[in-house]
Amino acid sequence: MIDVSLTGMQSMLAGLAVVAVTLLIIFVIRNIMNKRSQIDLKEKYRDKVWSSPLKSRTKYPDVDGMAFSGPLFRYGLASALALTLFAFSWTTYEADVFIPEDALELDEEIEIEPPRTAEPPPPPPPPPPPVIEEVPEEEIMEEDEPEFVDQDIEEETVLDEPEPVVEEAPPPPPPPPPPPPEPEVEEIFKVVEQMPRFPGCENEPGDNKAKEDCAKQKMLQYIYKNLKYPAIARENGVEGMCVIQFVVAKDGSVTEAKIVRDIGAGCGTAALSVVDAMNNLPQKWTPGRQRGKNVKVLYTLPVRFKLEG
């Protein structure tokens, strides 16, 4: 069986050719019929004797509209078969995606502290200083004026022994309130047992290593297929590597994407927009796993801008 494959342009040209041939046939038949109608058919067939009544079923055979029914029917079948063949042979080719060499290799290690999901609350403010109220001088004089009591002792005076004064210990101060609990900060890992993977390779045969290699290839195809080289960078010949960091959450969504290295001319923003658009894909990332649980993982993605020669 011959494998026939046609591009979209070839299929369109073939369809237009069939339409053009059909219009040409219609034009030719109309001209033939118009020319025959101008002949004096009455004079032509004045003394004609038909050998069979079937031949004279129309008054004049020259203008019989059914004379071309057989060829036209066969042409219609051939045209329908050709159009069907063109439709089934229409092949869609994926556009070639230019992926630079060593697209996922970093020139140097980038050390950036992972983002924290929650900041600890600020310490409580210190207590306000005591308020010192100023007392008027007149009140001080009145309160401090001593009262004189006669304390002279005579021989007949009997002195009573004073009872000992027992001082009660003051109650212990209340214990200070416990400090507020520190908010739980969810850890963001850099390296885990199973790194997050770009969607599209979970049903591929093989182990995690094979699925990870497949996911990296699909991610590169997605990035460089959707990456738009900024016009100002193209005009000025700007090339280089931008670096985007983002967090793959437990549910596989891409969060906290940011530019950590930019070569300018809008390249960093273009790379960031492609990463942000990953959340619009039909499937989410496969989240990273540590000790059998989904965890947040910090992912560093280099994006190379290189003009094709």
Side-chain angles (χ1 to χ4, degrees), residues 81-114:
L81 181 61
L83 290 175
T84 304
L85 178 63
F86 295 154
F88 279 102
S89 301
W90 186 356
T91 304
T92 302
Y93 297 95
E94 293 186 359
D96 294 335
V97 180
F98 173 71
I99 301 177
E101 297 181 0
D102 304 330
L104 291 179
E105 292 187 6
L106 289 171
D107 295 340
E108 58 185 16
E109 186 68 20
I110 298 179
E111 293 291 341
I112 292 184
E113 182 182 358

Side-chain angles (χ1 to χ4, degrees), residues 171-203:
E182 296 183 0
E184 184 179 354
V185 179
E186 194 169 1
E187 185 177 1
I188 299 177
F189 295 85
K190 286 186 177 181
V191 180
V192 291
E193 297 172 355
Q194 178 180 315
M195 292 296 290
R197 296 193 291 261
F198 190 80
C201 293
E202 294 309 305
N203 296 328

